[in-house]
mmCIF file of all heavy atoms in Angstrom:
data_model
loop_
_atom_site.group_PDB
_atom_site.id
_atom_site.type_symbol
_atom_site.label_atom_id
_atom_site.label_comp_id
_atom_site.label_asym_id
_atom_site.label_seq_id
_atom_site.Cartn_x
_atom_site.Cartn_y
_atom_site.Cartn_z
ATOM 1 N N ARG A 1059 138.916 50.948 138.662
ATOM 2 C CA ARG A 1059 139.206 51.990 137.678
ATOM 3 C C ARG A 1059 139.313 53.365 138.308
ATOM 4 O O ARG A 1059 140.112 54.203 137.880
ATOM 5 C CB ARG A 1059 138.073 51.991 136.632
ATOM 6 C CG ARG A 1059 138.200 53.029 135.530
ATOM 7 C CD ARG A 1059 139.279 52.630 134.546
ATOM 8 N NE ARG A 1059 139.409 53.618 133.489
ATOM 9 C CZ ARG A 1059 140.111 54.756 133.602
ATOM 10 N NH1 ARG A 1059 140.754 55.019 134.731
ATOM 11 N NH2 ARG A 1059 140.191 55.598 132.594
ATOM 12 N N ALA A 1060 138.501 53.615 139.360
ATOM 13 C CA ALA A 1060 138.336 54.990 139.849
ATOM 14 C C ALA A 1060 139.077 55.320 141.138
ATOM 15 O O ALA A 1060 139.259 56.494 141.449
ATOM 16 C CB ALA A 1060 136.845 55.285 140.043
ATOM 17 N N MET A 1061 139.503 54.327 141.903
ATOM 18 C CA MET A 1061 140.018 54.614 143.244
ATOM 19 C C MET A 1061 141.481 55.032 143.283
ATOM 20 O O MET A 1061 141.922 55.654 144.247
ATOM 21 C CB MET A 1061 139.816 53.406 144.158
ATOM 22 C CG MET A 1061 138.428 53.316 144.759
ATOM 23 S SD MET A 1061 138.307 51.984 145.964
ATOM 24 C CE MET A 1061 136.848 52.487 146.877
ATOM 25 N N LEU A 1062 142.255 54.695 142.247
ATOM 26 C CA LEU A 1062 143.677 55.038 142.285
ATOM 27 C C LEU A 1062 143.893 56.548 142.265
ATOM 28 O O LEU A 1062 144.762 57.063 142.980
ATOM 29 C CB LEU A 1062 144.405 54.390 141.114
ATOM 30 C CG LEU A 1062 145.916 54.657 141.042
ATOM 31 C CD1 LEU A 1062 146.628 54.087 142.265
ATOM 32 C CD2 LEU A 1062 146.518 54.077 139.764
ATOM 33 N N ALA A 1063 143.116 57.260 141.472
ATOM 34 C CA ALA A 1063 143.314 58.710 141.348
ATOM 35 C C ALA A 1063 143.143 59.436 142.678
ATOM 36 O O ALA A 1063 144.009 60.224 143.074
ATOM 37 C CB ALA A 1063 142.371 59.289 140.289
ATOM 38 N N PRO A 1064 142.060 59.211 143.437
ATOM 39 C CA PRO A 1064 141.956 59.881 144.743
ATOM 40 C C PRO A 1064 143.014 59.417 145.736
ATOM 41 O O PRO A 1064 143.432 60.184 146.609
ATOM 42 C CB PRO A 1064 140.545 59.540 145.220
ATOM 43 C CG PRO A 1064 140.110 58.378 144.414
ATOM 44 C CD PRO A 1064 140.812 58.500 143.102
ATOM 45 N N ALA A 1065 143.454 58.166 145.613
ATOM 46 C CA ALA A 1065 144.532 57.697 146.491
ATOM 47 C C ALA A 1065 145.817 58.462 146.213
ATOM 48 O O ALA A 1065 146.529 58.881 147.135
ATOM 49 C CB ALA A 1065 144.754 56.200 146.289
ATOM 50 N N LEU A 1066 146.117 58.687 144.937
ATOM 51 C CA LEU A 1066 147.310 59.453 144.572
ATOM 52 C C LEU A 1066 147.175 60.919 144.957
ATOM 53 O O LEU A 1066 148.171 61.587 145.254
ATOM 54 C CB LEU A 1066 147.559 59.339 143.066
ATOM 55 C CG LEU A 1066 148.160 58.022 142.588
ATOM 56 C CD1 LEU A 1066 148.057 57.909 141.076
ATOM 57 C CD2 LEU A 1066 149.609 57.891 143.039
ATOM 58 N N ALA A 1067 145.965 61.430 144.937
ATOM 59 C CA ALA A 1067 145.750 62.836 145.281
ATOM 60 C C ALA A 1067 145.877 63.082 146.769
ATOM 61 O O ALA A 1067 146.141 64.212 147.197
ATOM 62 C CB ALA A 1067 144.365 63.279 144.803
ATOM 63 N N ASP A 1068 145.709 62.037 147.560
ATOM 64 C CA ASP A 1068 145.698 62.221 149.008
ATOM 65 C C ASP A 1068 147.092 62.563 149.526
ATOM 66 O O ASP A 1068 148.079 61.974 149.094
ATOM 67 C CB ASP A 1068 145.187 60.957 149.694
ATOM 68 C CG ASP A 1068 144.695 61.229 151.099
ATOM 69 O OD1 ASP A 1068 145.536 61.168 152.027
ATOM 70 O OD2 ASP A 1068 143.514 61.530 151.269
ATOM 71 N N PRO A 1069 147.204 63.496 150.459
ATOM 72 C CA PRO A 1069 148.525 63.872 150.982
ATOM 73 C C PRO A 1069 149.103 62.879 151.982
ATOM 74 O O PRO A 1069 150.222 63.068 152.458
ATOM 75 C CB PRO A 1069 148.265 65.228 151.641
ATOM 76 C CG PRO A 1069 146.814 65.234 151.959
ATOM 77 C CD PRO A 1069 146.139 64.394 150.926
ATOM 78 N N ASP A 1070 148.372 61.819 152.300
ATOM 79 C CA ASP A 1070 148.842 60.812 153.252
ATOM 80 C C ASP A 1070 148.951 59.456 152.568
ATOM 81 O O ASP A 1070 148.380 59.237 151.501
ATOM 82 C CB ASP A 1070 147.869 60.737 154.441
ATOM 83 C CG ASP A 1070 147.881 62.006 155.269
ATOM 84 O OD1 ASP A 1070 148.966 62.405 155.722
ATOM 85 O OD2 ASP A 1070 146.805 62.616 155.444
ATOM 86 N N PRO A 1071 149.687 58.513 153.174
ATOM 87 C CA PRO A 1071 149.861 57.201 152.560
ATOM 88 C C PRO A 1071 148.552 56.434 152.484
ATOM 89 O O PRO A 1071 147.772 56.403 153.440
ATOM 90 C CB PRO A 1071 150.871 56.498 153.475
ATOM 91 C CG PRO A 1071 150.849 57.254 154.754
ATOM 92 C CD PRO A 1071 150.472 58.657 154.420
ATOM 93 N N VAL A 1072 148.313 55.809 151.331
ATOM 94 C CA VAL A 1072 147.105 55.027 151.092
ATOM 95 C C VAL A 1072 147.505 53.627 150.658
ATOM 96 O O VAL A 1072 148.323 53.461 149.746
ATOM 97 C CB VAL A 1072 146.218 55.676 150.009
ATOM 98 C CG1 VAL A 1072 144.974 54.821 149.759
ATOM 99 C CG2 VAL A 1072 145.819 57.094 150.414
ATOM 100 N N LEU A 1073 146.931 52.621 151.301
ATOM 101 C CA LEU A 1073 147.148 51.231 150.925
ATOM 102 C C LEU A 1073 145.909 50.748 150.178
ATOM 103 O O LEU A 1073 144.777 50.953 150.636
ATOM 104 C CB LEU A 1073 147.379 50.357 152.155
ATOM 105 C CG LEU A 1073 148.812 50.275 152.695
ATOM 106 C CD1 LEU A 1073 149.329 51.645 153.106
ATOM 107 C CD2 LEU A 1073 148.886 49.320 153.884
ATOM 108 N N ILE A 1074 146.117 50.120 149.028
ATOM 109 C CA ILE A 1074 145.021 49.575 148.225
ATOM 110 C C ILE A 1074 145.150 48.057 148.211
ATOM 111 O O ILE A 1074 146.171 47.518 147.775
ATOM 112 C CB ILE A 1074 145.040 50.121 146.792
ATOM 113 C CG1 ILE A 1074 144.875 51.652 146.800
ATOM 114 C CG2 ILE A 1074 143.927 49.489 145.967
ATOM 115 C CD1 ILE A 1074 144.917 52.280 145.416
ATOM 116 N N PHE A 1075 144.108 47.371 148.693
ATOM 117 C CA PHE A 1075 144.102 45.917 148.742
ATOM 118 C C PHE A 1075 143.225 45.386 147.609
ATOM 119 O O PHE A 1075 142.038 45.699 147.533
ATOM 120 C CB PHE A 1075 143.573 45.425 150.091
ATOM 121 C CG PHE A 1075 144.534 45.676 151.216
ATOM 122 C CD1 PHE A 1075 144.508 46.864 151.924
ATOM 123 C CD2 PHE A 1075 145.478 44.725 151.564
ATOM 124 C CE1 PHE A 1075 145.393 47.106 152.960
ATOM 125 C CE2 PHE A 1075 146.375 44.948 152.597
ATOM 126 C CZ PHE A 1075 146.333 46.149 153.294
ATOM 127 N N GLU A 1076 143.823 44.577 146.739
ATOM 128 C CA GLU A 1076 143.144 44.026 145.574
ATOM 129 C C GLU A 1076 142.985 42.520 145.768
ATOM 130 O O GLU A 1076 143.970 41.786 145.788
ATOM 131 C CB GLU A 1076 143.960 44.329 144.311
ATOM 132 C CG GLU A 1076 144.215 45.820 144.107
ATOM 133 C CD GLU A 1076 145.356 46.095 143.131
ATOM 134 O OE1 GLU A 1076 145.711 45.165 142.354
ATOM 135 O OE2 GLU A 1076 145.897 47.210 143.144
ATOM 136 N N ASN A 1077 141.749 42.071 145.925
ATOM 137 C CA ASN A 1077 141.515 40.655 146.159
ATOM 138 C C ASN A 1077 141.854 39.849 144.906
ATOM 139 O O ASN A 1077 141.405 40.168 143.803
ATOM 140 C CB ASN A 1077 140.063 40.420 146.564
ATOM 141 C CG ASN A 1077 139.826 39.001 147.033
ATOM 142 O OD1 ASN A 1077 139.673 38.095 146.241
ATOM 143 N ND2 ASN A 1077 139.810 38.817 148.346
ATOM 144 N N VAL A 1078 142.625 38.779 145.094
ATOM 145 C CA VAL A 1078 143.127 38.013 143.948
ATOM 146 C C VAL A 1078 142.013 37.378 143.131
ATOM 147 O O VAL A 1078 142.182 37.111 141.940
ATOM 148 C CB VAL A 1078 144.113 36.917 144.404
ATOM 149 C CG1 VAL A 1078 145.375 37.523 144.983
ATOM 150 C CG2 VAL A 1078 143.460 35.959 145.400
ATOM 151 N N MET A 1079 140.870 37.138 143.748
ATOM 152 C CA MET A 1079 139.777 36.491 143.038
ATOM 153 C C MET A 1079 138.989 37.458 142.164
ATOM 154 O O MET A 1079 138.059 37.043 141.457
ATOM 155 C CB MET A 1079 138.837 35.803 144.038
ATOM 156 C CG MET A 1079 139.512 34.695 144.835
ATOM 157 S SD MET A 1079 140.325 33.453 143.793
ATOM 158 C CE MET A 1079 138.897 32.696 143.031
ATOM 159 N N LEU A 1080 139.342 38.734 142.191
ATOM 160 C CA LEU A 1080 138.602 39.728 141.423
ATOM 161 C C LEU A 1080 139.260 40.073 140.098
ATOM 162 O O LEU A 1080 138.621 40.682 139.235
ATOM 163 C CB LEU A 1080 138.430 41.014 142.246
ATOM 164 C CG LEU A 1080 137.656 40.889 143.557
ATOM 165 C CD1 LEU A 1080 137.608 42.238 144.264
ATOM 166 C CD2 LEU A 1080 136.248 40.358 143.316
ATOM 167 N N TYR A 1081 140.517 39.725 139.893
ATOM 168 C CA TYR A 1081 141.254 40.217 138.736
ATOM 169 C C TYR A 1081 140.591 39.853 137.397
ATOM 170 O O TYR A 1081 140.658 40.611 136.437
ATOM 171 C CB TYR A 1081 142.695 39.718 138.757
ATOM 172 C CG TYR A 1081 143.587 40.464 139.730
ATOM 173 C CD1 TYR A 1081 144.294 39.787 140.715
ATOM 174 C CD2 TYR A 1081 143.725 41.841 139.660
ATOM 175 C CE1 TYR A 1081 145.119 40.460 141.614
ATOM 176 C CE2 TYR A 1081 144.543 42.533 140.546
ATOM 177 C CZ TYR A 1081 145.229 41.841 141.526
ATOM 178 O OH TYR A 1081 146.033 42.511 142.408
ATOM 179 N N ASN A 1082 139.946 38.704 137.325
ATOM 180 C CA ASN A 1082 139.328 38.275 136.066
ATOM 181 C C ASN A 1082 137.858 38.686 135.957
ATOM 182 O O ASN A 1082 137.213 38.416 134.935
ATOM 183 C CB ASN A 1082 139.434 36.757 135.907
ATOM 184 C CG ASN A 1082 140.871 36.313 135.678
ATOM 185 O OD1 ASN A 1082 141.662 37.032 135.074
ATOM 186 N ND2 ASN A 1082 141.212 35.139 136.174
ATOM 187 N N ARG A 1083 137.344 39.312 136.975
ATOM 188 C CA ARG A 1083 135.938 39.701 136.973
ATOM 189 C C ARG A 1083 135.706 40.802 135.935
ATOM 190 O O ARG A 1083 136.479 41.736 135.812
ATOM 191 C CB ARG A 1083 135.540 40.186 138.361
ATOM 192 C CG ARG A 1083 134.054 40.409 138.502
ATOM 193 C CD ARG A 1083 133.675 40.768 139.936
ATOM 194 N NE ARG A 1083 132.223 40.726 140.050
ATOM 195 C CZ ARG A 1083 131.521 39.632 140.329
ATOM 196 N NH1 ARG A 1083 132.154 38.506 140.562
ATOM 197 N NH2 ARG A 1083 130.218 39.657 140.373
ATOM 198 N N LYS A 1084 134.591 40.708 135.201
ATOM 199 C CA LYS A 1084 134.274 41.684 134.162
ATOM 200 C C LYS A 1084 133.201 42.654 134.629
ATOM 201 O O LYS A 1084 132.338 42.319 135.440
ATOM 202 C CB LYS A 1084 133.810 40.974 132.893
ATOM 203 C CG LYS A 1084 134.903 40.173 132.203
ATOM 204 C CD LYS A 1084 134.396 39.576 130.895
ATOM 205 C CE LYS A 1084 135.522 38.841 130.174
ATOM 206 N NZ LYS A 1084 135.065 38.267 128.879
ATOM 207 N N ALA A 1085 133.259 43.845 134.062
ATOM 208 C CA ALA A 1085 132.276 44.862 134.408
ATOM 209 C C ALA A 1085 130.861 44.397 134.092
ATOM 210 O O ALA A 1085 129.906 44.752 134.800
ATOM 211 C CB ALA A 1085 132.592 46.165 133.673
ATOM 212 N N ALA A 1086 130.717 43.596 133.057
ATOM 213 C CA ALA A 1086 129.382 43.114 132.680
ATOM 214 C C ALA A 1086 128.730 42.308 133.790
ATOM 215 O O ALA A 1086 127.495 42.287 133.913
ATOM 216 C CB ALA A 1086 129.485 42.265 131.413
ATOM 217 N N GLU A 1087 129.543 41.652 134.624
ATOM 218 C CA GLU A 1087 129.012 40.850 135.724
ATOM 219 C C GLU A 1087 128.438 41.715 136.837
ATOM 220 O O GLU A 1087 127.788 41.191 137.752
ATOM 221 C CB GLU A 1087 130.102 39.946 136.287
ATOM 222 C CG GLU A 1087 130.687 38.968 135.282
ATOM 223 C CD GLU A 1087 131.843 38.186 135.868
ATOM 224 O OE1 GLU A 1087 131.629 37.462 136.861
ATOM 225 O OE2 GLU A 1087 132.972 38.309 135.348
ATOM 226 N N GLU A 1088 128.689 43.011 136.776
ATOM 227 C CA GLU A 1088 128.244 43.918 137.834
ATOM 228 C C GLU A 1088 127.051 44.763 137.405
ATOM 229 O O GLU A 1088 126.684 45.722 138.077
ATOM 230 C CB GLU A 1088 129.419 44.803 138.259
ATOM 231 C CG GLU A 1088 130.593 43.975 138.772
ATOM 232 C CD GLU A 1088 131.881 44.770 138.949
ATOM 233 O OE1 GLU A 1088 131.843 46.001 138.753
ATOM 234 O OE2 GLU A 1088 132.900 44.150 139.278
#
C-alpha cells in the first residue's frame, strides 16, 4: 500500500518486485 508513492517520488528508476504468493495475503494475517 505504501511503497509505490515514494518510488514515484524518486528522481531515479525504481523496480518493484511483487512476489506472486503474496497477492492473496490479507492484512489481518500480519
